[in-house]
Amino acid sequence: MTTSPTLAGLAARLAEAACVNAPFKLADGTQLSAYFDEYRLAADPELLRDTARAMAALIPDDAQALAGIELGGVPLVVALSAATGLPAVFLRRRPKGYGSRRQIEGADITGRRTVLVDDVVRSGGQLLTMARTLRMTGAPVTDAVCVLERPLGGRMLLAEHRVALHSLLTEANLPAQRTGDAA
């Protein structure tokens, strides 16, 4: 992937705003010396808008809906939906324990080619789980998009299950002083 000046500028802005050089522990217990803080991205309206516009180019032409994974994918899917005009759904890791009791909220995506949206992809396990969930409800899923891809096997795992990963940035796109172990 060749980085255009616009993408390079966006990468620098994302690194400045969202890459934090501080200890961080992942849910699986992995300790990182730096991480990508999706909340800082989501909290900056201009950066979120510009990121969504750049990600819109990654959405396949035949996509019919977008699905954002809680929690980092939700603000991204809202912004991406606004940028593309595609309807969105919001995916919980588990069905809601009260009220609607749904795992999938938003538009009806039955039979619609749906693209998964998340902030950072590492191993790909969460995206794969959500792709299976959507497929079981009748939404074909063959693509996923993310802001940042870490080289931890996610792309390969997803490909093995017929999901193509399209990442806006990889660690190599981030300015050298900020890459570290960004989550």
Side-chain angles (χ1 to χ4, degrees):
M1 173 167 93
T2 304
T3 304
S4 68
T6 304
L7 187 55
L10 181 59
R13 288 173 53 209
L14 282 165
E16 180 64 31
C19 291
V20 179
N21 289 318
F24 187 77
K25 187 175 183 178
L26 297 176
D28 67 3
T30 303
Q31 191 79 6
L32 303 173
S33 61
Y35 65 99
F36 183 84
D37 187 344
E38 71 272 9
Y39 302 110
R40 289 183 177 193
L41 164 61
D44 183 328
E46 289 181 24
L47 186 57
L48 181 61
R49 179 200 61 220
D50 293 348
T51 300
R53 286 180 180 165
M55 289 179 76
L58 303 176
I59 302 297
D61 292 337
D62 60 349
Q64 298 172 304
L66 304 168
I69 299 172
E70 78 167 320
L71 188 59
V74 170
L76 287 169
V77 80
V78 170
L80 198 51
S81 176
T84 63
L86 292 171
V89 297
F90 313 99
L91 303 172
R92 291 187 177 91
R93 286 175 170 71
R94 288 181 281 306
K96 189 175 180 179
Y98 59 93
S100 71
R101 300 203 179 274
R102 293 186 192 131
Q103 187 171 6
I104 304 169
E105 300 279 2
D108 179 11
I109 56 170
T110 305
R112 291 182 169 181
R113 182 151 184 259
T114 303
V115 176
L116 286 164
V117 179
D118 209 358
D119 54 353
V120 179
V121 173
R122 290 177 280 279
S123 70
Q126 186 63 45
L127 278 172
L128 180 57
T129 298
M130 291 298 125
R132 288 175 173 157
T133 298
L134 290 172
R135 287 171 174 169
M136 286 189 299
T137 64
V141 177
T142 57
D143 295 273
V145 298
C146 68
V147 176
L148 179 64
E149 177 187 354
R150 294 203 49 193
L152 298 173
R155 178 176 296 275
M156 193 165 28
L157 175 69
L158 292 168
E160 289 171 4
H161 295 274
R162 301 175 326 277
V163 178
L165 179 62
H166 310 278
S167 55
L168 183 62
L169 302 170
T170 65
E171 286 183 357
N173 297 117
L174 296 176
Q177 72 274 16
R178 300 294 282 189
T179 53
D181 291 328

